[in-house]
Amino acid sequence: MPSGARYWTVVDDDFDVVDDVDRFLREVRLARGRAESTTKAYAEGVSLFLRWCLRTGRDWRTAARDMGLFILWLRWTPGNGGQRTTVVPGPGAKPVREDPRINKVLTAVRMFLVHAVNSKVAPAWVVEQIYELGDGLDLPAEAHGENGPMRVRLKARHRLQEPESDIDRASDEEVVAMFLACRSARDRLTLLLLSRVGLRPGQTAGLRRSDPHMMADSRALGCDAEGAHVHVVRRQNENNAWSKSKQSWIMPVDFLVVQAIDQYALERHEVLGDGGSDFLLVNLFRPPYGAPITTEAIGELCESLSRRAGLGRKVTPRMCRHAMASNVADAGGKLDEIQALLGQKHPASPRPYLHPKPSRLREAVERVPSPRLLQGGEDQ
């Protein structure tokens, strides 16, 4: 349940706050500066753990020794809306929770139990039940450091093997079709911010009216950045929009985005005049008028545009972001440029966003000379 301090907490059956969990969530949200959505996910995961402990007669402080049974319970026990409260798996039965969801719950529980150990609420041996010593052979090269891959680290003892799933990019044809299906200047600008600028939904919904600088020279605004650009800043926003990147950066934009912002500014002024909130993207066609749009609304917009454009599949905001990064790579952009444009910290982070066009792969193969040509002979 949300509280006045803008973080989530957990209550028991008598609607009393569970103090140990509340202290943990306060630390996550207020002391560590995690997103409110992260606090919500942790609260949901810990509440499932406490519910399992309550229904199986276990003390949560020492229940870590039976994490395998907790995983079984998570996989097969329905939630509050289910008709059963016990584990009843059967041949061919579909799991209630898939492996990725279970892993997220386990992550929240591990964080909570470590906090309980550090707070002297749970015994120290609990850490040994949820972590084991491991090497760094499974870590990427960037994480090895100077000591190489044989560094000893704490490794989560309970983690399910998730199937690998690559995120496809939205094709240029799909983006154009969605653009033509837009019914307002605001929707067109939103789509361009996703697919042309590469912003995440939280970053898009969190933009303020002062963030876009659309002039060729912005020094009059106190900004030395050249050309049209958008400032992407991590803030605490009333619509719960949150930039995943902790750093702020400047994102250059092209004439399409400049034109879209100009058209949206006229549309907004016709509806709200000088009113409305300080957020860039606000409600114009349904109440509350002038209130900032949400990240959920951006996802709903992409789904609606996919349907109206007759694409045959749902193009998500993440697929639009992948399209932007892939287009930069296809145009000759280097990894460090893509990394900076996406606002990412680690050099390897842009790699999942690269989806080379088949034509570019064909050109890469055809650039390789024939061995006969290398020897000076005729290619026969």
Side-chain angles (χ1 to χ4, degrees):
M1 56 180 293
S3 70
R6 300 188 66 84
Y7 71 95
W8 292 70
T9 190
V10 173
V11 298
D12 57 21
D13 292 339
D14 296 324
F15 295 98
D16 294 326
V17 173
V18 182
D19 291 334
D20 295 318
V21 182
D22 191 61
R23 281 191 290 269
F24 162 66
L25 295 175
R26 280 204 307 261
E27 177 176 318
V28 171
R29 179 71 182 95
L30 305 177
R32 301 188 184 184
R34 299 291 180 87
E36 186 172 346
S37 59
T38 301
T39 313
K40 178 177 181 290
Y42 283 0
E44 292 173 347
V46 174
S47 66
L48 285 172
F49 178 67
L50 296 181
R51 187 183 308 165
W52 170 71
C53 293
L54 179 63
R55 291 181 177 176
T56 59
R58 289 178 169 85
D59 185 343
W60 68 262
R61 299 167 184 82
T62 58
R65 67 183 70 182
D66 295 325
M67 291 295 284
L69 296 177
F70 176 51
I71 294 175
L72 181 67
W73 185 87
L74 285 174
R75 186 183 298 278
W76 297 110
T77 303
N80 287 335
Q83 301 300 318
R84 303 190 309 266
T85 59
T86 57
V87 177
V88 189
K94 182 180 179 181
V96 177
R97 300 175 183 87
E98 300 292 343
D99 291 352
R101 169 60 178 154
I102 294 176
N103 280 335
K104 291 179 181 178
V105 172
L106 294 176
T107 298
V109 172
R110 282 194 295 267
M111 295 281 291
F112 169 61
L113 292 178
V114 169
H115 177 269
V117 170
N118 291 335
S119 302
K120 309 300 182 184
V121 176
W125 58 261
V126 169
V127 176
E128 301 174 1
Q129 298 294 318
I130 57 179
Y131 287 102
E132 63 183 357
L133 293 179
D135 55 43
L137 293 176
D138 59 331
L139 297 177
E142 292 80 3
H144 288 164
E146 298 179 355
N147 296 330
M150 293 308 297
R151 296 175 60 185
V152 176
R153 64 186 177 93
L154 286 178
K155 181 179 180 181
R157 187 181 292 272
H158 308 92
R159 182 180 295 276
L160 302 179
Q161 187 68 35
E162 299 182 22
E164 294 185 3
S165 58
D166 295 331
I167 300 297
D168 191 12
R169 59 157 290 175
S171 66
D172 293 340
E173 293 77 12
E174 288 174 328
V175 173
V176 171
M178 293 171 67
F179 186 84
L180 295 177
C182 290
R183 296 173 178 171
S184 67
R186 185 201 62 185
D187 292 350
R188 289 193 292 270
L189 173 59
T190 302
L191 181 62
L192 288 178
L193 290 173
L194 297 172
S195 61
R196 196 76 180 174
V197 184
L199 298 184
R200 293 186 171 93
Q203 295 164 344
T204 303
L207 288 175
R208 304 298 177 89
R209 300 174 72 177
S210 58
D211 291 336
H213 293 171
M214 298 293 100
M215 297 183 295
D217 188 343
S218 300
R219 285 178 292 184
L221 302 175
C223 177
D224 295 330
E226 298 181 0
H229 60 275
V230 173
H231 291 262
V232 184
V233 184
R234 191 184 200 186
R235 301 184 179 96
Q236 175 62 60
N237 296 311
E238 64 182 75
N239 60 348
N240 297 330
W242 185 264
S243 175
K244 186 177 180 180
S245 176
K246 294 182 179 180
Q247 64 179 359
S248 301
W249 80 95
I250 295 174
M251 181 66 193
V253 299
D254 61 10
F255 75 97
L256 291 175
V257 178
V258 174
Q259 187 178 47
I261 288 182
D262 289 343
Q263 294 175 350
Y264 167 65
L266 294 175
E267 179 182 75
R268 172 173 171 151
H269 189 269
E270 290 178 358
V271 177
L272 301 176
D274 295 330
S277 72
D278 184 50
F279 286 81
L280 177 65
L281 300 172
V282 297
N283 292 339
L284 298 179
F285 312 108
R286 61 183 180 183
Y289 296 101
I293 66 171
T294 63
T295 55
E296 292 79 9
I298 292 178
E300 293 172 359
L301 171 64
C302 288
E303 182 175 359
S304 176
L305 292 177
S306 301
R307 184 175 57 255
R308 293 207 301 263
L311 299 183
R313 67 169 182 168
K314 182 175 70 174
V315 174
T316 64
R318 191 176 181 185
M319 293 167 65
C320 293
R321 179 173 166 88
H322 278 243
M324 176 269 180
S326 298
N327 283 335
V328 172
D330 289 336
K334 297 180 174 57
L335 278 180
D336 61 335
E337 297 171 340
I338 299 173
Q339 175 191 348
L341 291 174
L342 294 178
Q344 295 174 328
K345 181 179 180 181
H346 299 290
S349 297
R351 294 189 182 277
Y353 289 84
L354 305 184
H355 307 269
K357 289 183 177 179
S359 59
R360 187 154 66 94
L361 297 178
R362 170 65 60 182
E363 293 172 359
V365 172
E366 293 179 347
R367 285 196 299 267
V368 180
S370 169
R372 294 181 180 180
L373 293 178
L374 291 176
Q375 294 177 358
E378 294 183 359
D379 188 10
Q380 299 179 352

